Amino acid sequence: MGRVALPRPTTENASLYAAQQKVYPKAVRGPVRRLKWAMLAACLALYYLLPWLRWDRGPGLPDQAVLVDIADARIFLFSIELWPQEIYFLTGALVLAAIGLFAVTSLFGRVWCGFACPQTVWTDLFLLVERWIEGDRNARIKRDAAPVSRDKVLRKALKHAAWIVIAAATGGAFVVYFQDARAAFVAIPTGTASLETYVFFALFTGTTYLLAGWAREQVCTYMCPWPRFQAAMLDEQSLVVTYRGWRGEPRGKARAAGIGDCVDCRACLHACPTGIDIRDGQQMECIGCGLCIDACDEVMRKLQRPPGLVAFETLANLAASDAATMGMPPGPVRQLCGMKARAPVRFARPRSIMYGAVLGLVAAVMLGAFLMRETATLSVLRDRAPLYVRLSDGGIRNGYTLKLANRRLAEPALALELVAPAGFHLTVQEAPLDEARRPRLRLAPDGVTEWRALVSLPAGQAVAASTPIRFRLRDAGGRVQLEETSIFLAPERGSP
């Protein structure tokens, strides 16, 4: 069996608590397993190597291709640089990922869980190390049941040491997404990294070791919310890992008369990383990895029977084959009729079209927003304490803070003008004037520049208590580059 059998509770020892039944997955070979190895290698290479890629952004900017720079509030992704004001791009990317996951699930079942989920990838890696050190399924079961010995202790210690090394590499790879990888590679082992670095390094090292080494299928079965609602995204045309009972039943020994193709060898159960029997039908614990397919096909080849007793199949085809072979005795005729009753998978159906349309719409909106994103922004913050200042000559003055964010490496100088009723006067502290006596504001490259602006109104000029005004920035060619609206506050008429 896939799990170690526990004694049934009696009336005297009955308990609501059930201890974990350890799963010992058996190694299998086949096309599904090769695809999983390829996905494992690709995912691990992407995770571990991506922070080490370099990308030249010019002087004064980090040259790490992918970096979440918390200190300077930037996200660098190759040639893309996102500022805090553009966090909606990250939100859009998460929405795209969610819709894409829904779409893939509706078409191919839980392929994310079985092939690309981090829990699956790292558990596969830890299992590979475990097999190298302790052997395959039967050897591990025998060793765990044996009394303590020198060989058992050494192998267990070596396995856990290897797991800790992998977990530490995982934690270290995570923290270098948030700081320069080369500097962190030297700072972490020498004790010169920040406290925050060590906290997150320890956190991700510990969780990787516990979840991939100890919890394993418990994460998929009890901790992950995805199995609870993924069935809502499936329909009768979704490709899922399933057992073709119309072909395999009734089960029995290979040479017995009147039995189906299933010889009850339990190879599918022994290969399952979550310890379930796929022959029991669709189950929440099934992650759709397809290893049971390779295990069963290997047995079928040895028995010189057609592969595919366990396969990626639609529930519609499964029902059609069941109906077509009902009452037929096992044999080649039943096999032929069951396969002929199947229909091609309909990938284009209302559910998948809806997911595709929503995915395309969100992607188009994101692309449009990205192509039209501003390279510079102006924000105007009016002083709130005091709301206005009465000057010695009787005039009224309001103060403003102008924040100019420049996302380019260029350092342009823009002329500031005030669009307001006649009589208003604009001055900017420490700003030079151009030929037209307008303040000339220089934008820092890839940074934020603050300027202090004062707008005054001479004494005796009637004005409303709240007057809209506009700050406008023009380039050397006179073209308006940025503008922002604010208000000018003055005392109510008749107020002192």
Side-chain angles (χ1 to χ4, degrees), residues 240-251:
V240 294
V241 179
T242 187
Y243 165 67
R244 289 169 171 156
W246 58 266
R247 172 185 158 184
E249 301 298 325
R251 309 170 196 174

Side-chain angles (χ1 to χ4, degrees), residues 2 23 49 96 110 120 176 184 232 240 283 314 327 409 411 415 434 454 476:
V23 178
L49 300 180
L96 281 175
R110 293 178 62 182
T120 296
V176 298
V240 294
Q283 300 162 70
T314 66
L409 296 180
E411 191 175 0
D434 62 5
L454 303 173

Side-chain angles (χ1 to χ4, degrees), residues 263-277:
V263 295
D264 207 17
C265 63
R266 297 188 177 181
C268 56
L269 174 60
H270 295 162
C272 180
T274 59
I276 66 168
D277 192 337

Side-chain angles (χ1 to χ4, degrees), residues 327-350:
M328 296 182 66
V333 176
R334 186 174 76 167
Q335 163 78 14
L336 181 62
C337 290
M339 297 304 289
K340 284 185 66 176
R342 300 173 65 252
V345 180
R346 292 192 298 111
F347 293 109
R349 53 189 190 271

Side-chain angles (χ1 to χ4, degrees), residues 232-472:
M233 292 147 203
L234 301 176
D235 57 29
E236 68 280 356
Q237 289 294 327
S238 301
L239 279 171
V240 294
V241 179
T242 187
Y243 165 67
R244 289 169 171 156
W246 58 266
R247 172 185 158 184
E249 301 298 325
R251 309 170 196 174
K253 294 185 179 297
R255 296 180 181 178
I259 67 162
D261 283 345
C262 180
V263 295
D264 207 17
C265 63
R266 297 188 177 181
C268 56
L269 174 60
H270 295 162
C272 180
T274 59
I276 66 168
D277 192 337
I278 192 62
R279 298 172 298 177
D280 293 337
Q282 297 297 300
Q283 300 162 70
M284 182 187 70
E285 295 86 353
C286 178
I287 62 174
C289 66
L291 293 179
C292 53
I293 297 176
D294 285 343
C296 183
D297 284 351
E298 186 176 359
V299 174
M300 291 296 104
R301 283 191 292 269
K302 290 179 180 179
L303 297 175
Q304 297 182 345
R305 297 179 181 180
L309 179 59
V310 180
F312 285 102
E313 179 68 288
T314 66
L315 298 181
N317 280 339
L318 194 64
S321 297
D322 280 338
T325 59
M326 186 175 298
M328 296 182 66
V333 176
R334 186 174 76 167
Q335 163 78 14
L336 181 62
C337 290
M339 297 304 289
K340 284 185 66 176
R342 300 173 65 252
V345 180
R346 292 192 298 111
F347 293 109
R349 53 189 190 271
R351 183 188 296 265
S352 59
I353 292 173
M354 179 194 69
Y355 282 134
V358 175
L359 191 65
L361 177 62
V362 175
V365 171
M366 289 288 296
L367 179 61
F370 182 78
L371 294 177
M372 294 186 294
R373 67 197 290 249
E374 297 176 326
T375 57
T377 58
L378 167 65
S379 60
V380 178
L381 305 176
R382 194 184 59 78
D383 291 352
R384 298 188 179 276
L387 294 176
Y388 58 84
V389 174
R390 187 177 291 277
L391 304 176
S392 58
D393 61 359
I396 303 297
R397 187 180 71 195
N398 283 195
Y400 303 84
T401 299
L402 308 183
K403 288 190 174 184
L404 291 151
N406 180 23
R407 300 184 180 94
R408 295 175 295 178
L409 296 180
E411 191 175 0
L414 304 177
L416 177 66
E417 63 182 25
L418 178 68
V419 181
F424 284 85
H425 179 68
L426 170 68
T427 59
V428 178
Q429 297 176 354
E430 300 181 358
L433 303 178
D434 62 5
E435 297 80 1
R437 307 295 297 171
R438 298 175 302 184
R440 195 163 187 82
L441 309 185
R442 187 168 295 277
L443 279 65
D446 193 55
V448 178
T449 309
E450 289 191 8
W451 297 88
R452 180 67 176 165
L454 303 173
V455 178
S456 57
L457 183 67
Q461 183 166 340
V463 70
S466 177
T467 303
I469 61 174
R470 184 177 294 272
F471 295 89
R472 181 175 290 165

Side-chain angles (χ1 to χ4, degrees), residues 191-249:
T192 57
S194 65
L195 176 61
E196 294 81 3
T197 297
Y198 287 114
V199 168
F200 281 97
F201 172 77
L203 175 64
F204 277 83
T205 298
T207 52
T208 302
Y209 173 73
L210 291 174
L211 297 183
W214 292 89
R216 293 186 177 175
E217 78 285 349
Q218 304 296 307
V219 176
C220 306
T221 304
Y222 300 111
M223 297 173 62
C224 181
W226 181 239
R228 270 74 185 170
F229 59 84
Q230 59 90 24
M233 292 147 203
L234 301 176
D235 57 29
E236 68 280 356
Q237 289 294 327
S238 301
L239 279 171
V240 294
V241 179
T242 187
Y243 165 67
R244 289 169 171 156
W246 58 266
R247 172 185 158 184
E249 301 298 325

